[in-house]
Amino acid sequence: MADTSETRSIFVTGLKNAHAMENQALSIMKPQVSRIENYPEVAARLEQHIRETEGQIARIEEVLKSLAEDHSSLKDMALSLTGSMAAMSHSVAGDEIIKNSIANFAFENYEIAAYKSLITIAEHGGFPGLAPALKSNLEEEIAMAKWLDDNLKSVTMKFASLKEAGERAKI
């Protein structure tokens, strides 16, 4: 695939979408981590991933800047609002930590797919020099998805144990 204006447009749109997606991720994770009391391992990993996500946003901004483009504030705002609403909807659930864990795992896999697509466009669409930043983001998303997958059982078991003991298990 050559560096055509249509390919560039697809790539830039994908980058703007990824920027908004990462802002949405922050709007989901920050309320979650602020509410966690009984799952310090989850809070610590979310805090780490919040820092990673902030770095991912900076990488995307650098890629956009190298293309003389900027992120879409409207997309950022819309997806951040959607993320905040999703985080709030789980806060009223009796099993908030479980719902958050499942939703976070699904979202991480969505991000993985988005970065794989962006990397494909970058490598085969005439922007191979921009792929390394996106690969860094992808690696962090894969690591977070793996952590969530590896820890879903223990979080679920801890939730069940706390509930059975009559303790506050929700968060």
Side-chain angles (χ1 to χ4, degrees):
M1 198 183 279
D3 179 7
T4 66
S5 63
E6 191 60 37
T7 303
R8 185 184 190 286
S9 177
I10 292 166
F11 187 51
V12 168
T13 298
L15 290 166
K16 289 179 180 186
N17 290 341
H19 190 276
M21 171 185 74
E22 294 301 354
N23 276 293
Q24 181 180 21
L26 288 177
S27 72
I28 291 169
M29 290 185 291
K30 286 181 177 181
Q32 285 179 8
V33 78
S34 72
R35 293 178 45 76
I36 293 175
E37 296 171 7
N38 293 316
Y39 306 86
E41 66 287 353
V42 175
R45 188 58 179 100
L46 281 175
E47 287 170 354
Q48 177 186 342
H49 197 55
I50 287 168
R51 289 188 303 276
E52 290 170 347
T53 301
E54 290 165 345
Q56 292 167 7
I57 290 169
R59 283 187 208 111
I60 293 168
E61 288 173 353
E62 283 300 313
V63 171
L64 282 165
K65 185 177 174 184
S66 75
L67 296 167
E69 297 283 348
D70 198 5
H71 61 91
S72 168
S73 296
L74 183 60
K75 282 183 185 180
D76 289 352
M77 188 177 12
L79 287 182
S80 289
L81 180 61
T82 303
S84 296
M85 297 298 286
M88 279 192 339
S89 71
H90 290 178
S91 69
V92 298
D95 60 348
E96 179 181 1
I97 191 73
I98 302 298
K99 283 190 174 33
N100 286 347
S101 295
I102 293 167
N104 290 348
F105 181 71
F107 198 82
E108 292 303 323
N109 280 281
Y110 174 81
E111 290 175 304
I112 289 166
Y115 282 116
K116 286 182 177 183
S117 179
L118 273 172
I119 291 165
T120 299
I121 292 289
E123 291 177 343
H124 302 289
F127 310 100
L130 302 178
L134 301 172
K135 287 180 180 179
S136 293
N137 288 9
L138 174 62
E139 290 167 10
E140 290 171 353
E141 300 301 357
I142 289 170
M144 184 62 178
K146 181 174 179 356
W147 187 91
L148 288 163
D149 189 34
D150 291 347
N151 287 274
L152 183 59
K153 183 177 181 176
S154 63
V155 168
T156 302
M157 293 303 297
K158 184 172 186 175
F159 173 80
S161 295
L162 288 169
K163 215 47 174 163
E164 290 167 1
E167 295 182 36
R168 183 175 153 96
K170 185 169 133 174
I171 49 177

